[in-house]
Each structure stands twice: as structure tokens, then as C-alpha cells.
Amino acid sequence: MSSDQDHLKETDTEARFEFKKDENAAVKSDKGLTEEVIRMISEDKDEPDWMLERRLRALEQYQNMPMPSDWPGMPDLSELDVEEIIPYIRPDVDKREGVDDWTELPDDIKDTFDKLGIPEAEKNALSGVGAQYESEVVYQNMQEQWEEKGVIFCNMDKAVQEHPELVKEHFMTTCVPPSDNKFAALHGAVWSGGSFVYVPEDVTVEMPVQAYFRMNSEGMGQFEHTLIIAEEGSEVHYIEGCSAPKYGTHNLHSGGVEVFVGEDAHVQYSTVQNWSKNTFNLNTKRAICEAGGTMEWVSGSMGSKATMLYPCTILKGRGATDTHITIAFAGEGQDIDTGAKVYHNAPDTSSTIESKSISKDGGRTNYRGLVHIADGAENSSTAVECDALMFDNESTSDTMPYMEIEESKVDVAHEATVGKIGDEDIFYLQSRGLDDDDAKKMIVAGFIEPITEELPIEYAVELNRLIELEMEGSLG
Amino acid sequence: MSAGTQVHANLTEEQVREISGGLDEPEWLLETRLEALEALDSLDMPDVIKTPGREWTDLHELDFESLVDPLNAAENKDQIGPDEADVLSWADAVQEHEELLKEHFGSIVDPQENYLTALSTALFSTGTVIYVPEGVDAEDVTVRTEQNSRSLFNYTLVVTEESSSVTILERQSTGEEAEEQYYSGVVEVAAGENSYVQYGSLQNLSEEAYNFTVKRGVTDTYATIDWIEGNLGTQLTKTEVSTELRGDSSETQIVGAFYGHNDQHFDLDAKVWHRAEHTTADLVTRGVTDDVARSVYEGVQDVGADAWDTSSYQRENTLMLSDESEADASPKLIINNHDTEASHSATVGQIDREDLFYMTSRGVDPRAARNMLVEGFFVPVLEEIDVDELRDDLEDLIGARLRQRD
């Protein structure tokens, strides 16, 4: 660990994530989902008519779609009442589009992100940072060197105003249309904030671009939209971090992520998700990958009460590649239902999915994955590997992969293993002088290493600390 | 959705009474049938897998109105077994083993589990009861069913007492071919303490036929149930083979082989429920899809909270011989006890090009080389079969089907 990481060591991780702030709201919508609320959000953002129309169409689709109910073993969503969720809160920030100087933020918001370590992270390792508080991006900055090359990194609301052609073409049209699922429709109606990333042809953004999403108010929903367009031959790594303090009522996070990977472009999308344990995390994330392009999803799902999230890649062009690396950790009362979807729609495409999960204290993890190889996607290959570690007998670990193979010239392999933490491994480490807790922590750290090594050190450290936190003191 | 109304016009209580009366059945059995008939209205089709935008098997395509003809069932049946065990036709079993039937009938497969099990319970007119007394080793029990009518509903019960063993070969084929036929079979196996059952099945019905089967066993302490499931015939098969490991230290193996060609559709489920301590399961399925055939495989290993020290393994491999065929698979693990060692793996691919190259470079004609490789692919499954006749026949049928190819 380098000295750059000292701020992570110094702050108590739990305190960093769980502290709460008094509500800071300039504009706050009513609870529930009505046309009035949608019009109010759109008006408050001074949106063009076409965006309002898209929102209203999505609302109609939302109202016409049933809640998912017939998935085997799906998380219990009965406590989720969308009508009780406040879909929009604009924090009280002077400049509507957020500020680009950290010192201009109101103290309480600045304090929040300081505690989360955002400014230091930016200073040390990142090309640009966006920070979203409730429904709005409050801070956005992009280093000049990338701006000069034509890279755009701004909040989504600003992109609607300043880059309407790009947004009009890509926003919830081909990648994640609102008709995709009930929560995509919900997102399409009430989305607010999020990031817009545009990387021109042949530009490589060498340092990761980061966005941080923070939910602070009780009973709110956060619906940020992330749109990434990587033109031919370009390269970018986008990282998002999410957190929310814990409240008595339920929060809803229903984000939308759309990634367009141009020919031979390379996009990595990394997430460390640590929503509070009353949050329903129901996201739709999807990438469309053109010929020769590479899409990499790296995600760590730690928090939330229930997560249903299956990042999806459509391998559209010949020779496109997809990589999924995911880790899920479910503790007491948590149901983390996550996995990956890959559609091989062109020849010579390949994908690998590596999924790790840990369940303890009655938590449930499930790998739910779909690999579809279309007729004509010859010479495609996919390898799926799931490993689950269980700590105790109250916990549950499931694996539900689905494979639809319509093409014969393919190489498809799936394997999964489940096991308890090895008594022999623990004995070995104890015989080398470690106590029981430390031995288990070390085994877990080794178990999740494939993902931490894909993350920038900042996030890897954070992920390790989160897992340590989850495991502290309660090991059986 | 309930499909009950589809068939009801054709089915009456009188028909069920006539079937039951013709077999001289006791009142309780008639009641069970009538309750199943009545339940049809409220029951759903068996579960099938759904993924975004598709249902893997469309059972609603089945036109029961024209398929079910319960009073005109016709078959040729052989029910052969060694003297030490009872291998009885249904009519004989009703007379000789009523207590046994009362204890086990419908106890393993709930007659009202779904629409098709209820239909089978209400209408079955033929069956076999295999009873193996304590300590008896019964080899080579053979049940051959040749279907000669539009529909045939078959029921099989196997009961093994303590420390007995039995190997059973069941075959289904079509004699007189009608345009479309429906074969429905329910098999229940109760394996007593420390007993061993191998139940092999070879389904080679006409390719115009539809087939629905449920084979399910429960194990007592130290018991073993091994299933061999061979599927070659029918245009649509929906079948489940499963074991509930209810006794400590009991074991099961589910071995499947299938070969789909033309426009055949196989929906094959292999399931095991670990419900006791120190239980072991091994699921192995290998199959081929050719032409525009489609295979749908669901394998479930479910480990209950009380199933300490479980070992559970599953493998599924599909070989695709044509570009137009489709192979779908979902091997599921449901683990509620952490003292478990479980794994599954699934692969789909075509014949290994290097193997083919190697053989042709040694002078083997490409077509023969391909056939040999497919036959070789099935070897790990064939090796698990105790009954020679089943192994040889399965091998021959696979060989014959391969030689049919251009």
C-alpha cells in the first residue's frame, strides 16, 4: 500500500459510510410517481421537449408493466413501495449544473465527500471526478489535458443541454430502452443526474474517470443515468462508487448505464457498490460492443437489502470481447442476486465471466447469468466460472446460469463450485500464528483477489476494507 | 395460466370410473383418480425455464383434445423378473399388494403436482409394480411397453425392502403408429434401508409422439438409487428424473444420454434434493443435437439446511452436430448448508477438430471418424449402465442414428 492511501487508513471505514446529514434540499418532489412529478422534474431541469416526451412515454410503459414475479428464487421486493419513494431531491447548490471547484460546495456536502475520500482520490489518481448528491451532480471536474483532446466528462443533465445530438441518439434508444424491464421504465421516467462520457476516436484516457453517488435523504430514490460513448479505437476506464447511510424506511436505487463501445475501442466499467442495508438496488447496465471492441465489467456488490443486477454486453461486431468480474458479499438480511448477461451476436466473439460470492450470517447470494450465442455467431467462445464461499449454516448460496446456444461452432464452458471455508486452510494459518479471525480474513482476501487486482489501488483498498468491516467480530 | 379447460370437454368422470372399475380397483384409488380429474381445472402445466423473451419449451402447443383417448388404450407389454421378486401388472398388483399401493401410491410424486401428473393419475390404465423383499438381489427386471394406441398412460412403482437390490430396464417404443401419439409415465421408487436400485430407461417412441414422464425416488438410510435415462424418440419430450435423498448416507446417480435429430425437442430435468446428512449425488448427462433438434437441460442440486456433509456433483455436455440445432442448459445449485462440497459444469461444443484431423490423418474416412468420435463421447455415460442389454441397445441405437446421417 502506498502512502497515497493514508487517508483510507486514517478514517474509520464504517464511520465514512454510515454517517448521515440533515437533508439539504432546494427542490424536493412529492412521493410516488405521477405525471405531475415527472413534469416537475423536467421543468426544474429546464429540459427540452423531446426529453420530457421520453420521460412521459417511459412512465406509461412503467405503469403498463407488471412487477417481475416468476423468476425462480428472486429476491423479495414486497417491501418496496415505489409510491412511497421520493424520486427527486435537488440539493441546495448555488450553481445548477454543479460546481467545478471543490471549495465552492456547501460545507455539509463537501464534508460528506471529504469523508468518503473523493477529493484526495481525484488529486492522486484520477482524470476526472463527478459527485452526485441525492438527484443532482454537485461537483464535476475534468483534467485539462483530456479536455483538450475532446474528451467530454460532464453530468448527464448538462449533456442534455450541451450535447443534445449525441444524447438524443444514444439515450435509452438502442441500448437500454425503457421497455426493457419495469425498472428501466421507471428509470426512464424519473432519471436524474449521472455522468456523460464521450471519448473521441483514437483517444486514450490513461487515468480512470470516476463518479461517486451518494444518497443521503431518507426514503428517496436515486436514478442516475450514465452514458458512455467510446468512439473507434478509443480507451477509457470509468469507475463508480455508491453509498448511502442507513435509514428506517426503504430507499430505492434504480440507475441506468449505457455504454457504446466503438470498433476496436476498450471500455472498462468498475463499480464498488455499498448501498445501505435498506436499499433496493435494481439497476440496468448494458453495453453494445462493435467489431474488435472490448468491454470489461468489474463490480463489487457489498451493500443493499436486495440487489438485482445483471450487467449485460451485446457483442454486436465480429471479434468483440467481453469480460465480467464480479464479487458479491451478502451478510445478515441481504439478498444479492447478481450475475452477467452476454449476447454473442457476431462471429469470433468471446466472453469470460468470473463470479465470486461470499455469504454469511443468513445472507443470500445468487449468480444468475445468461449466455446467449446466436445462430451465425460461429467461432464464439465463452467461459463462465462461479465460486461461492459460505461461512455458516444460516446462509444461502445459489447458482442459476442459463445457456442458450444456437450455433454449433462454439466453445461453451460453465463451471461452478460451492464450499465452506476450508478447515485445513484455517488450521494451517493458525499454526503459523494467525488468530482465527485474521486467518479467515486472509482466506477471503485471497478468494477475492481476482477482482481487487483489476481495480485501481484506491478502490481495491476500499473493497478490502469493506469486506473486513463486514467480517469483523462476527465470524463463526 | 391454467390449461385445464383445454381437455375437459373430452374427459368425464364416467371414463375414469370405467378405467378404475375395469381394473377392479379399491374405492380409495378411484377417489384419488377422481380428485386428480377434478383438480385439472386449477392446475398449471409443469414448470419450464423462461429467459428474456423466450420460453424454453412450449407445452401449450400440445393439443390434448385430439391426443387423449383414454378408453382405447392398447399396448404390448412384457413384465419379466426373477422369481424372488414380485413383478406384477397393475391389475395383479391391485389384487395382491393393496397395502403396498396404499402406502406408496402418490406419496413420492404428488398426483396433483401439475396438470400432466394429474391427467396421468386420473387416466392411467396400465402399470407395473416391482416389489423386492428384504435381502433379495433381483437382477434383470425388464418392462417393455409397446404403444399401439393414440394415448397411453403408464404407472410404475418400485419398492425395495432392507438390504435388497434390483436392476430394472424399462423400454418404451411404438408399435402401431398413429399420426400423433401421447405417452405419459409416472415412476415412483421407494428405496428401503441399505437397498440398491438401478432404474434404466430407454425411450424410443415414434418421432410423431409426445412424451411426458416423471421419475422420482426417495432413499432411506444407506440406500442408493441410480437412474439411467436414455432418450431417442418422440417429437417432444418433457421429462424429469429426480431423487430425494431422505436417509442419512444415501446416494444417487442420474446418468442421462440423449440424441436429438430432425426437429425433435427434448426437455430434460435432472434434480436431486439433499435432505439428510452425508449424502452424495452425481449427475452426468451427455447428449447430441443434430439437424434442427433442440435440447433443454435443467439440472438442480438442492442442498437443504439440515443436509450436513453433502457432496454433490453435476456435469452436462452437449455436442452439436449441426448449425441449426440448439442446446440450452441451466445447471442450478441451491445451497442452504455450508458444510457442502458442490460443483457443476456444463459444456456445449462441436466435435473437436484436432481429434477429427488426427483420425483422418491416420486414414479413417471422415464420416467414420466423426461417428467414432460421437460414439466415444457417450462412453462415460454407457460405462455407468449395469444392465448389458440396455447398454448394448443404447449403443446400437446411437450408432444407427449416426449412420442415418448423410
Side-chain angles (χ1 to χ4, degrees):
Chain A
M1 211 188 297
S2 80
S3 60
D4 291 347
Q5 316 311 322
D6 285 350
H7 70 278
L8 290 172
K9 275 196 257 174
E10 282 157 13
T11 346
D12 172 58
T13 312
E14 181 158 32
R16 289 203 296 128
F17 284 99
E18 292 284 333
F19 65 90
K20 299 169 189 176
K21 289 279 174 188
D22 291 336
E23 220 169 73
N24 174 340
V27 177
K28 182 173 171 179
S29 75
D30 291 336
K31 285 179 187 172
L33 217 56
T34 58
E35 194 178 319
E36 288 68 51
V37 168
I38 307 293
R39 285 184 185 279
M40 174 272 200
I41 295 171
S42 188
E43 199 177 318
D44 193 53
K45 291 175 180 300
D46 198 19
E47 278 178 355
D49 286 346
W50 62 265
M51 183 53 85
L52 176 63
E53 276 161 29
R54 285 190 192 185
R55 285 181 185 275
L56 293 173
R57 207 163 50 230
L59 176 69
E60 206 181 305
Q61 284 167 316
Y62 170 77
Q63 284 161 345
N64 291 332
M65 267 188 249
M67 285 283 272
S69 62
D70 56 350
W71 295 26
M74 69 176 281
D76 178 10
L77 303 181
S78 60
E79 283 180 62
L80 170 65
D81 185 355
V82 176
E83 295 309 314
E84 284 298 310
I85 297 281
I86 301 159
Y88 182 64
I89 298 176
R90 171 154 63 84
D92 191 8
V93 180
D94 288 345
K95 285 167 77 178
R96 279 302 319 277
E97 66 275 21
V99 297
D100 58 9
D101 183 347
W102 200 255
T103 58
E104 286 175 36
L105 282 174
D107 285 344
D108 59 340
I109 294 179
K110 195 164 61 184
D111 188 37
T112 301
F113 285 105
D114 274 344
K115 278 198 177 141
L116 293 167
I118 304 300
E120 289 90 341
E122 183 195 5
K123 210 160 52 201
N124 295 330
L126 300 165
S127 310
V129 167
Q132 175 156 348
Y133 197 79
E134 320 293 27
S135 303
E136 293 268 351
V137 173
V138 291
Y139 169 82
Q140 193 98 41
N141 188 27
M142 181 79 201
Q143 290 190 0
E144 266 176 32
Q145 61 186 113
W146 310 118
E147 269 178 3
E148 279 165 13
K149 289 183 179 167
V151 177
I152 303 168
F153 176 45
C154 67
N155 80 56
M156 205 51 225
D157 298 308
K158 195 170 164 187
V160 171
Q161 307 291 348
E162 294 183 7
H163 309 284
E165 291 317 308
L166 280 173
V167 175
K168 224 174 177 170
E169 185 188 338
H170 296 96
F171 182 88
M172 298 195 85
T173 51
T174 52
C175 195
V176 182
S179 58
D180 190 77
N181 66 69
K182 179 121 181 141
F183 292 97
L186 173 67
H187 174 86
V190 300
W191 77 272
S192 182
S195 307
F196 177 76
V197 179
Y198 177 83
V199 188
E201 223 175 294
D202 294 326
V203 170
T204 299
V205 183
E206 277 138 19
M207 294 158 95
V209 173
Q210 176 187 265
Y212 206 91
F213 301 100
R214 172 81 182 169
M215 248 196 282
N216 200 56
S217 298
E218 183 165 357
M220 82 163 293
Q222 192 166 26
F223 306 96
E224 84 286 352
H225 193 90
T226 303
L227 177 55
I228 298 173
I229 303 167
E231 298 284 9
E232 190 175 338
S234 68
E235 196 172 332
V236 66
H237 181 181
Y238 180 87
I239 306 180
E240 65 173 10
C242 323
S243 70
K246 193 180 173 98
Y247 287 103
T249 53
H250 295 305
N251 284 6
L252 169 64
H253 174 251
S254 186
V257 173
E258 301 183 281
V259 183
F260 292 85
V261 184
E263 273 185 37
D264 299 317
H266 183 160
V267 177
Q268 180 173 340
Y269 192 106
S270 305
T271 311
V272 176
Q273 175 265 110
N274 187 39
W275 299 112
S276 67
K277 285 170 190 155
N278 66 329
T279 300
F280 288 92
N281 184 37
L282 308 164
N283 272 308
T284 309
K285 296 184 172 182
R286 191 168 304 150
I288 297 177
C289 208
E290 304 291 340
T294 301
M295 181 67 209
E296 283 184 75
W297 299 98
V298 178
S299 52
S301 297
M302 312 290 305
S304 86
K305 176 185 177 64
T307 286
M308 291 176 78
L309 168 61
Y310 322 96
C312 170
T313 301
I314 298 166
L315 298 168
K316 188 181 162 203
R318 182 182 282 271
T321 305
D322 169 71
T323 312
H324 275 85
I325 300 174
T326 69
I327 175 145
F329 191 115
E332 191 181 347
Q334 289 183 278
D335 191 341
I336 310 290
D337 199 292
T338 186
K341 275 205 280 186
V342 185
Y343 289 86
H344 290 258
N345 289 349
D348 305 320
T349 51
S350 67
S351 62
T352 59
I353 297 167
E354 196 175 341
S355 163
K356 303 249 178 194
S357 75
I358 300 167
S359 53
K360 66 186 279 289
D361 297 336
R364 172 181 182 263
T365 59
N366 181 27
Y367 170 81
R368 196 187 295 271
L370 172 63
V371 175
H372 181 99
I373 300 190
D375 194 7
E378 54 181 43
N379 300 321
S380 289
S381 67
T382 180
V384 182
E385 199 181 324
C386 306
D387 297 310
L389 198 58
M390 294 174 77
F391 270 96
D392 51 60
N393 205 37
E394 283 68 54
S395 306
T396 305
S397 179
D398 301 339
T399 313
M400 301 183 182
Y402 299 90
M403 283 167 275
E404 298 180 332
I405 315 300
E406 295 176 353
E407 166 65 43
S408 72
K409 293 189 196 68
V410 294
D411 190 357
V412 175
H414 174 99
E415 53 184 297
T417 59
V418 177
K420 61 176 173 175
I421 200 157
D423 292 338
E424 279 174 36
D425 297 339
I426 289 174
F427 175 77
Y428 174 82
L429 290 167
Q430 282 175 335
S431 73
R432 293 292 180 276
L434 287 169
D435 71 23
D436 188 58
D437 271 14
D438 286 339
K440 284 180 178 168
K441 278 181 195 166
M442 189 169 276
I443 289 166
V444 170
F447 180 73
I448 65 164
E449 197 180 299
I451 170 168
T452 51
E453 69 190 16
E454 287 296 318
L455 290 170
I457 185 85
E458 299 271 339
Y459 275 85
V461 168
E462 181 164 320
L463 189 68
N464 273 324
R465 295 199 128 238
L466 285 170
I467 285 174
E468 270 180 37
L469 195 70
E470 293 290 338
M471 288 173 48
E472 226 137 68
S474 51
L475 295 175
Chain B
M1 100 179 217
S2 166
T5 46
Q6 269 188 353
V7 71
H8 226 64
N10 238 7
L11 293 179
T12 60
E13 200 182 305
E14 285 62 46
Q15 287 173 325
V16 174
R17 286 182 186 280
E18 196 179 328
I19 293 165
S20 185
L23 291 159
D24 209 7
E25 285 178 351
E27 191 63 24
W28 64 266
L29 201 51
L30 174 64
E31 283 306 315
T32 308
R33 287 177 181 269
L34 290 173
E35 282 162 19
L37 180 76
E38 207 180 307
L40 283 177
D41 277 336
S42 56
L43 291 173
D44 287 333
M45 282 288 171
D47 288 339
V48 295
I49 295 182
K50 288 176 203 152
T51 49
R54 58 201 327 229
E55 201 167 40
W56 284 11
T57 298
D58 187 2
L59 291 173
H60 300 288
E61 268 176 17
L62 281 172
D63 178 11
F64 286 97
E65 283 284 352
S66 63
L67 280 174
V68 174
D69 185 10
L71 295 182
N72 292 307
E75 58 165 348
N76 266 328
K77 206 177 209 104
D78 288 333
Q79 290 156 313
I80 309 159
D83 294 341
E84 315 90 277
D86 293 345
V87 179
L88 303 169
S89 71
W90 183 250
D92 290 344
V94 167
Q95 302 309 316
E96 293 177 31
H97 273 305
E98 192 189 332
E99 282 314 302
L100 198 71
L101 299 185
K102 216 168 176 177
E103 188 184 345
H104 295 287
F105 183 87
S107 69
I108 300 169
V109 178
D110 178 359
Q112 298 180 24
E113 182 168 305
N114 59 53
Y115 182 84
L116 294 179
T117 56
L119 193 68
S120 221
T121 304
L123 301 180
F124 79 94
S125 60
T126 178
T128 310
V129 172
I130 298 160
Y131 174 75
V132 188
E134 191 175 330
V136 166
D137 295 327
E139 304 266 320
D140 296 333
V141 174
T142 310
V143 181
R144 289 189 189 86
T145 307
E146 189 184 81
Q147 181 178 351
N148 292 319
S149 52
R150 189 160 191 80
S151 61
L152 190 67
F153 293 86
N154 199 0
Y155 173 81
T156 309
L157 173 67
V158 180
V159 179
T160 53
E161 298 290 357
E162 193 177 334
S163 300
S164 66
S165 78
V166 63
T167 59
I168 300 160
L169 166 56
E170 195 202 356
R171 333 180 34 141
Q172 298 119 32
S173 58
T174 303
E176 274 169 47
E177 217 165 306
E179 260 184 18
E180 284 182 327
Q181 290 170 308
Y182 178 57
Y183 177 90
S184 172
V186 173
V187 178
E188 298 183 287
V189 175
E193 189 177 332
N194 195 39
S195 69
Y196 170 81
V197 178
Q198 180 170 102
Y199 192 103
S201 167
L202 186 55
Q203 180 271 110
N204 191 30
L205 293 160
S206 127
E207 283 182 41
E208 298 296 318
Y210 298 93
N211 173 29
F212 169 73
T213 1
V214 181
K215 301 189 177 84
R216 194 173 302 158
V218 293
T219 55
D220 203 335
T221 312
Y222 291 117
T224 300
I225 300 179
D226 287 349
W227 301 96
I228 315 286
E229 172 78 358
N231 277 290
L232 287 138
T234 74
Q235 58 170 301
L236 175 92
T237 280
K238 164 84 184 157
T239 172
E240 177 199 302
V241 184
S242 54
T243 306
E244 184 180 330
L245 295 165
R246 213 182 268 172
D248 287 352
S249 303
S250 61
E251 292 180 26
T252 191
Q253 197 178 22
I254 300 175
V255 177
F258 64 89
Y259 189 148
H261 72 160
N262 296 332
D263 60 350
Q264 289 184 299
H265 182 115
F266 293 147
D267 183 318
L268 313 160
D269 296 355
K271 295 180 178 169
V272 57
W273 296 278
H274 295 265
R275 292 292 180 267
E277 297 182 18
H278 321 298
T279 59
T280 303
D282 193 10
L283 280 51
V284 187
T285 295
R286 289 202 159 202
V288 164
T289 57
D290 199 356
D291 304 323
V292 294
R294 184 162 177 219
S295 70
V296 169
Y297 171 83
E298 183 181 15
V300 177
Q301 297 152 274
D302 184 316
V303 180
D306 301 322
W308 296 90
D309 187 26
T310 292
S311 301
S312 192
Y313 309 98
Q314 179 181 181
R315 282 159 288 162
E316 202 263 342
N317 311 98
T318 314
L319 204 56
M320 292 174 84
L321 296 183
S322 83
D323 243 5
E324 286 70 42
S325 63
E326 177 167 352
D328 299 335
S330 179
K332 287 184 187 145
L333 288 167
I334 315 286
I335 313 291
N336 288 296
N337 185 304
H338 78 298
D339 189 12
T340 294
E341 199 179 272
S343 70
H344 71 221
S345 66
T347 64
V348 182
Q350 56 178 1
I351 290 171
D352 191 278
R353 271 176 247 185
E354 278 178 37
D355 290 347
L356 201 58
F357 174 77
Y358 174 83
M359 290 177 76
T360 49
S361 73
R362 291 291 179 283
V364 182
D365 155 69
R367 195 201 287 188
R370 186 201 58 208
N371 290 357
M372 283 164 75
L373 287 169
V374 175
E375 283 166 335
F377 170 77
F378 280 106
V379 165
V381 163
L382 296 168
E383 275 175 350
E384 302 299 332
I385 304 176
D386 284 353
V387 179
D388 295 340
E389 183 188 339
L390 174 56
R391 185 173 49 248
D392 294 346
D393 284 359
L394 190 56
E395 215 171 351
D396 288 349
L397 287 167
I398 289 165
R401 186 156 286 190
L402 273 169
R403 282 185 294 279
Q404 269 178 42
R405 294 184 97 240
D406 297 324

